[in-house]
Amino acid sequence: MLTGRQFSAQEAKDMGLVHHVVPAADLERFTREYCAQVTANAPLTMRAAKRIIREVLKKDYDAALCKTWVRECFESEDYAEGRKAFMEKRKAVFRGK
């Protein structure tokens, strides 16, 4: 960034600036599949992760609050469903509860 030099997509990936490089023709398919992976996760866990990320970026973040959000996930019906689905070798059906 300090040099103003443009990087190729592969260089950007190698430097850790991007996670994936796909051909333009595959971009829509890749994006849809990636989004499907994210949205298949437990919604309470995704909400907690977003909250925690925002919180820890603060100068004096509240670690106790972050622990509360994690605890809420572990105490949820979705957590029990996820564990049960794993043991039964099936896809979990999360309800956001």
Side-chain angles (χ1 to χ4, degrees):
M1 292 173 68
L2 297 176
T3 67
R5 183 172 79 78
Q6 291 185 345
F7 304 107
S8 69
Q10 189 58 51
E11 285 178 299
K13 185 173 190 272
D14 293 344
M15 290 186 281
L17 297 175
V18 298
H19 293 283
H20 304 281
V21 175
V22 297
D26 298 335
L27 183 59
E28 184 173 346
R29 177 197 53 77
F30 175 85
T31 302
R32 290 185 186 281
E33 290 173 0
Y34 193 84
C35 289
Q37 287 178 332
V38 172
T39 60
N41 290 318
L44 297 177
T45 301
M46 294 293 92
R47 182 177 68 188
K50 291 176 193 178
R51 286 176 165 176
I52 291 167
I53 290 167
R54 280 193 301 270
E55 184 64 27
V56 300
L57 290 174
K58 296 176 182 176
K59 183 178 178 183
D60 296 317
Y61 75 91
D62 187 341
L65 183 57
C66 294
K67 288 178 183 179
T68 297
W69 292 328
V70 170
R71 187 180 66 250
E72 288 173 357
C73 291
F74 282 112
E75 293 172 353
S76 71
E77 292 177 22
D78 279 356
Y79 179 74
E81 164 61 10
R83 289 179 50 99
K84 184 176 180 184
F86 177 80
M87 297 302 288
E88 295 174 355
K89 298 182 182 357
R90 63 174 174 79
K91 187 176 177 178
V93 178
F94 298 118
R95 298 179 14 203
K97 296 181 178 185

